[in-house]
Amino acid sequence: AAVRIKELAKKYDIDVLSLNLRSNDTFPDLNSFTKVKKVPIERLHIDLRLSGKFLDIGPFFDDVEKEIV
C-alpha cells in the first residue's frame, strides 16, 4: 500500500513528507464467534503528510481510495 501511495503521489506531483501505515483488526468480537480460525477484517490507519498543489491533493485522495481498498 505504501509503494502504491507513493506512486500515485508522483502522478500528481505531490511530495510525501511522511507516511505511516498501521493495520488492526477492527472487529475482534466477530472473530470469537466464527467457525473458521480467524476472519481477517482489518483496516489501515494512514498517517500522511503531503506537500503539493491544493487542487491536486483531492484527486490524489480519490485515487488512493480506489486503489487501496
Side-chain angles (χ1 to χ4, degrees), residues 1-17 19 48-53 56-57 59-61 63-64:
V3 171
R4 189 64 187 132
I5 288 173
K6 289 180 181 181
E7 289 172 354
L8 289 171
K10 285 181 187 177
K11 174 182 170 183
Y12 289 98
D13 197 28
I14 294 172
D15 295 325
V16 177
L17 302 176
L19 174 62
L48 190 61
R49 290 187 61 216
L50 303 172
S51 176
K53 293 181 182 176
D56 291 338
I57 292 178
F60 163 73
F61 279 121
D63 278 0
V64 167

Side-chain angles (χ1 to χ4, degrees), residues 6-69:
K6 289 180 181 181
E7 289 172 354
L8 289 171
K10 285 181 187 177
K11 174 182 170 183
Y12 289 98
D13 197 28
I14 294 172
D15 295 325
V16 177
L17 302 176
S18 68
L19 174 62
N20 183 11
L21 298 174
R22 291 176 288 127
S23 67
N24 65 342
D25 189 353
T26 56
F27 298 101
D29 295 334
L30 179 63
N31 284 323
S32 63
F33 296 110
T34 60
K35 294 181 181 179
V36 294
K37 289 185 179 181
K38 182 171 171 83
V39 178
I41 304 173
E42 293 188 350
R43 292 185 183 175
L44 282 177
H45 295 274
I46 302 172
D47 182 16
L48 190 61
R49 290 187 61 216
L50 303 172
S51 176
K53 293 181 182 176
F54 179 77
L55 294 177
D56 291 338
I57 292 178
F60 163 73
F61 279 121
D62 290 339
D63 278 0
V64 167
E65 182 181 15
K66 291 175 191 171
E67 296 283 330
I68 311 296
V69 172

